[in-house]
Every structure is written in C-alpha cells, then in structure tokens.
Amino acid sequence: MVNEEQVKSEIIETARGLIQQFGIQKVTMQDIAKAANKGKSTLYYYFKNKEEILDAVVEEEMKEFFRRCKNAVDREHEFNAKLKVYITTKIDILEEKQTKYQFLIDNDLHHFGFSNYFKRVRFLFDGSEVLLIKSILQRGVESGNISGNSMAGDKEQLTAEIFLTAIRGLEMEVFIQKKIKNMEEKTDLMINILLNGLR
C-alpha cells in the first residue's frame, strides 16, 4: 500500500535538491519526476504545478528552520542563554540556507515572485515564533531578569512582536551583506538594549 505522505515528502525533497542546484527556472516537472523515480502523473496527483511544489519546498524549509530554533532554545535553561541561542541559531541557519540557495537567489528571485513565497510562508510561522519568544520572556520574568510589570496585560504580546522585528533586522543584514560582521557583539548589544527597557 502506498504511503501518500511519504511519496509527497520524497517529491518535495527531490525538488528541493534540484532547485538548490539548478534554480527554479531550469527545473521542470519532468526533471523532478525523473529524479524522484516517479511518473509525471504521480507529481500532478499531489501538485497542480511547479509553483505548488515550490510552495511545499519553502514550507518545509520554514518548518525545519523553526524546529531547529525551538530545539536550540529548549536545550538552554537560563533566560539570557535562551534568548541569545534563539538569535544566533536563526542567523546561523539563514547563512546556511543562503549558501544552499545562492544560485536561486542570484538568478531566480525575480521569477515566480519567489520572495513572496517566503513572505507568505513565513507569515504562517510568525505566530509560532512569537509564542517561542513569549516563552523565553516568561523565563526571564521567572528568573527575575525581567520585571513582571513590564509583561503585564498586552505588553507580553507586544514585546514579543518587537523582539521578532528587531531580530528580523539582523536577518536582513544576512541577506543584504551575505554575512554579519561582529555577530556575537551585535547580538549581545541588541539583547542588552531590549532588556534594559524591561528591567
């Protein structure tokens, strides 16, 4: 009996490898089918077109991205360590992904509205990221690093959203400059600036 989820996962993984290597424009449904040892009809059973496969690839990337960040945070116990590892893990993964998708970024960003895929799929994970940051902030309140008053009412949600926005600023540096200089120093400084207002 065919495990449909496994077949779909195999197609997505195959497409991911091909897109990383050749870019979106050059990869066809036929290429994906051949590399995955599937018939084209099998691909069309799961996906309407190449753009839908790309959507699934980006979504998988985002799931993996979030899972790795959460695991890194969960391994730490102290508030400052949780916050720092969250930021540094995100930046490390972004640099790694940028290397894997450099061909695509250089050649295909203007095709298929690729950046819109990331924006849309990332929006789906914004809520999860805010929840993760809130859990880190709650640890800060429990440990006395953050004043409980600064997290009262709607402030916790707003503070988590502000943290996410600040961290996204570092993410943009990765995309614009390819690598962040003095990453550890910038991370520590950003954490100190943000936390000084919460003490």
Side-chain angles (χ1 to χ4, degrees):
M1 190 168 172
V2 177
N3 183 331
E4 293 199 352
E5 281 306 308
Q6 186 177 340
V7 172
K8 194 172 179 181
S9 180
E10 286 170 8
I11 293 168
I12 293 167
E13 281 306 305
T14 301
R16 176 164 31 184
L18 291 173
I19 290 167
Q20 286 172 356
Q21 190 172 358
F22 302 109
I24 300 164
Q25 278 294 87
K26 292 187 179 178
V27 176
T28 65
M29 290 291 271
Q30 180 65 41
D31 294 332
I32 297 168
K34 185 176 178 184
N37 293 318
K38 311 282 183 224
K40 255 174 96 172
S41 60
T42 302
L43 261 66
Y44 284 109
Y45 174 79
Y46 294 100
F47 303 98
K48 283 187 244 177
N49 49 42
K50 184 167 68 170
E51 289 79 5
E52 202 168 281
I53 293 178
L54 175 61
D55 232 1
V57 167
V58 174
E59 189 169 346
E60 277 304 307
E61 289 285 1
M62 293 304 289
K63 282 180 185 173
E64 179 190 333
F65 189 101
F66 181 74
R67 188 169 45 245
R68 285 173 64 182
C69 285
K70 187 172 185 321
N71 289 343
V73 168
D74 289 346
R75 281 193 295 271
E76 299 294 338
H77 300 289
E78 297 302 317
F79 165 68
N80 281 18
K82 280 180 176 288
L83 190 55
K84 186 170 182 176
V85 80
Y86 168 67
I87 296 169
T88 55
T89 301
K90 280 193 81 173
I91 299 304
D92 288 347
I93 296 169
L94 271 175
E95 288 178 341
E96 172 191 313
K97 296 296 181 194
Q98 186 174 35
T99 301
K100 284 184 178 178
Y101 285 98
Q102 196 58 54
F103 182 94
L104 183 140
I105 291 165
D106 291 344
N107 298 287
D108 288 342
L109 263 179
H110 57 290
H111 297 296
F112 302 116
F114 183 74
S115 59
N116 290 332
Y117 278 98
F118 273 107
K119 285 177 193 167
R120 190 172 75 251
V121 178
R122 190 163 79 170
F123 177 76
L124 296 174
F125 288 89
D126 273 0
S128 299
E129 278 207 82
V130 167
L131 283 175
L132 181 58
I133 294 170
K134 280 165 82 170
S135 75
I136 295 170
L137 294 174
Q138 286 163 2
R139 180 71 189 113
V141 171
E142 290 165 10
S143 63
N145 292 95
I146 295 176
S147 161
N149 292 334
S150 65
M151 292 290 110
D154 293 338
K155 289 181 185 174
E156 185 183 56
Q157 177 73 21
L158 292 173
T159 303
E161 289 172 3
I162 290 166
F163 266 76
L164 184 56
T165 300
I167 295 162
R168 293 252 164 96
L170 289 179
E171 290 177 27
M172 286 310 298
E173 278 198 61
V174 172
F175 280 109
I176 293 166
Q177 299 178 7
K178 309 293 190 224
K179 190 170 178 68
I180 294 181
K181 292 177 183 174
N182 308 320
M183 175 60 201
E184 190 166 347
E185 187 181 343
K186 285 185 178 181
T187 301
D188 288 338
L189 187 57
M190 184 174 78
I191 290 170
N192 286 335
I193 290 168
L194 290 168
L195 293 184
N196 278 334
L198 297 173
R199 290 196 170 104

